[in-house]
Amino acid sequence: MLKSRKELDAELGGAARAWLDEALAEAAHDAATPDAPGPYASPPWELRYAAAGRTCGPEHADSVRSLLLVEARATLPSVTRLYEQGTAAERRAVLLTLHRLDLGPTALPLVEDALRANDPRLVAAAVGPYAADHLDPHAWRHAVLKCLFTEVPVAAVARLDDRARGDGELARMLGDFAAERTAAGRTVPEDLRTVLDLTAPADEGAHRAPSTAAPAAPAPTEES
């Protein structure tokens, strides 16, 4: 979970707090004068972004990087550069912050890239509020399946209840996924039942008894 500036100030040492003060001041200056560094130069705060883990500690790096992105009112070129050139940890912080930036759907390629990876940390960050707001139904369903495949808890999926409710296509995909796992002798993730229950229409879901058992594999069809 991302921490606020107040929480960071309470947990960081004096040197790290001073560094953060300077970094955020640089980010605010860049937001006020976005053209100052020139179209191809990286502003100073982006260098601070990369150094956040070393200076403030890896346990605070996500929160510090997120504050920098927000303070700088980071643009699409900035977040794209930081994502493409960054480590996995730096990419994760970008993904965690997208919904706090004024980017509309333009940063979806970054989410889509993370969902193609097999790094659970990136997948979990990619299915946050930004994905919930901007992924189309087809891509969002595959994002949910990606979580199941990479063993990312579906609790990481923002607005899962809302988007899964009554989604018959997602229910079909979950059934196919369960059947494939069963046929291969592999365990069906418990989270699959959680999502499958959510796909029931609201009136049906109200009468469905909770269950943690894996869904039965569908009978094979001529097409399969």
Side-chain angles (χ1 to χ4, degrees):
M1 181 180 296
L2 296 177
K3 298 176 182 178
S4 67
R5 175 68 189 279
K6 182 178 180 180
E7 290 171 321
L8 285 172
D9 282 345
E11 296 180 19
L12 293 175
R17 285 198 306 272
W19 180 92
L20 181 57
D21 286 340
E22 294 175 358
L24 292 175
E26 290 176 347
H29 179 268
D30 186 63
T33 56
D35 297 328
Y40 302 107
S42 298
W45 72 267
E46 290 190 17
L47 300 178
R48 301 270 194 172
Y49 182 92
R54 296 191 302 273
T55 307
C56 298
E59 69 276 22
H60 301 304
D62 282 344
S63 299
V64 169
R65 288 174 176 141
S66 183
L67 287 176
L68 286 171
L69 290 167
V70 172
E71 193 69 26
R73 298 200 294 270
T75 61
L76 182 62
S78 284
V79 296
T80 300
R81 180 166 53 244
L82 291 171
Y83 181 88
E84 291 181 346
Q85 298 178 3
T87 64
E90 291 163 26
R91 292 183 173 197
R92 182 178 65 246
V94 167
L95 296 167
L96 291 171
T97 313
L98 289 177
H99 68 289
R100 302 177 64 189
L101 304 173
D102 186 19
L103 298 172
T106 61
L108 273 176
L110 306 184
V111 172
E112 292 163 352
D113 179 82
L115 290 173
R116 286 192 293 270
N118 287 318
D119 186 335
R121 299 170 301 170
L122 294 182
V123 173
V127 293
Y130 185 84
D133 288 341
H134 297 293
L135 279 180
D136 64 39
H138 177 76
W140 184 82
R141 293 178 188 119
H142 280 278
V144 173
L145 287 176
K146 184 73 173 190
C147 287
L148 295 173
F149 180 76
T150 55
E151 300 182 352
V152 170
V154 295
V157 181
R159 289 175 43 209
L160 177 64
D161 290 17
D162 293 339
R163 293 207 58 168
R165 185 70 63 199
D167 191 336
E169 176 61 14
L170 178 58
R172 182 195 67 76
M173 294 169 67
L174 292 169
D176 289 347
F177 179 75
E180 292 172 3
R181 300 275 294 197
T182 301
R186 303 181 66 186
T187 302
V188 176
E190 292 185 8
D191 271 357
L192 189 146
R193 170 58 67 180
T194 299
V195 182
L196 189 63
D197 283 347
L198 291 173
T199 63
D203 55 348
E204 179 182 341
H207 301 289
R208 179 183 288 186
S211 172
T212 58
T221 65
E222 292 182 0
E223 294 180 354
S224 62

